[in-house]
Amino acid sequence: MSTQRRPLIAGNWKMNGLREIAMPLAGELATKMNNAAPTSFDMLVCPPATMIDAVVDVAYESNLAVGGQDCHMAESGAHTGDISAQMLQDLGCSYAIVGHSERRADHGEMDDVVRAKAEAAQAAGLIAIVCVGETEAERDKGITIDVVAAQIAGSVPPASTSENTVVAYEPVWAIGTGRTPTSDEVQEVHAMMRTKVTEILGADEADKIRLLYGGSVKPSNAVELMGLADVDGALVGGASLSHDDFWQIAESCP
Ligand code: 13P
């Protein structure tokens, strides 16, 4: 990891947790962030939309950032059940995940939709975490690099900066399975991602932009993954629901 990129450890709680469990989890992390300050990493939690307000309250005056798991591409309008980036910002969020593979698969979101959502997040003053990653069939076919490169070209807005954008590589087959690519495979994809981002944003921004790895990140593999040259943090699902595991992952940052 470059010394000029501050690692980001992001927890995606997905559709998990009711207030009874989530509030102590957020509280524990906020307290740990304060007690450990200054930390060598940024920490973010992305709770279900129902709990963002309460988690923002718990994280108040701590260095724990809060984000949404998705946002709509429009500012407002007739979109029943959707939440705009502006609404997330209004609640106190500073990040929004866009293009998670579960959104791409469950809601048919293609790259152009993901890019529009990332633009909406950026316009609302949020940092967009743009997710990309190949399926197992694509890896087996040997087309991982092409698939991820095409997703970056299609999903990362051309006007992005390292300040308002993070890109997360999450191989679909590694999510929630306990399986991960080898370190060499992760670094190969991340190096390509930085090259691809350089084509879109230019060398200065690409050098500063944070590239996260996600997919079965645990305390036991975090030191190795976080130590890779082009990995600048983690997007964590299951292990982010345990404050001890999530904290240990954060402390694995070099
Ligand atoms: P797991 O850490 O549970 O594999 O999930 C990764 C993920 O999808 C984070 O967005």
Side-chain angles (χ1 to χ4, degrees), residues 1 6-12 41-46 95 97 100 129 131 166-170 180 186 190 210-219 221-228 230-240 245-254:
M1 179 164 10
R6 189 173 157 80
L8 171 64
I9 302 298
N12 174 8
F41 50 82
D42 293 338
M43 182 173 274
L44 163 71
V45 290
C46 298
Y95 289 80
I97 298 172
H100 191 281
I129 302 180
C131 300
V166 170
V167 184
Y169 168 54
E170 297 204 310
T180 56
V186 172
H190 276 240
R210 293 181 288 188
L211 305 179
L212 310 187
Y213 169 78
S216 296
V217 177
K218 299 183 273 255
N221 59 23
V223 171
E224 188 167 343
L225 288 165
M226 296 306 107
L228 298 172
D230 284 294
V231 172
D232 311 307
L235 182 53
V236 186
S240 72
D245 285 358
F246 194 50
W247 190 258
Q248 254 184 278
I249 290 169
E251 288 198 312
S252 304
C253 293

Side-chain angles (χ1 to χ4, degrees), residues 101 132-136 138 151 169-177:
S101 61
V132 295
E134 82 287 2
T135 63
E136 184 152 32
E138 289 163 342
Q151 286 176 335
Y169 168 54
E170 297 204 310
V172 179
W173 54 273
I175 294 176
T177 60

Side-chain angles (χ1 to χ4, degrees), residues 92-103:
C93 287
S94 40
Y95 289 80
I97 298 172
V98 295
H100 191 281
S101 61
E102 288 150 16
R103 298 287 316 175

Side-chain angles (χ1 to χ4, degrees), residues 114-129:
V114 176
R115 188 178 60 239
K117 288 184 172 206
E119 281 166 348
Q122 294 166 349
L126 301 176
I127 300 170
I129 302 180

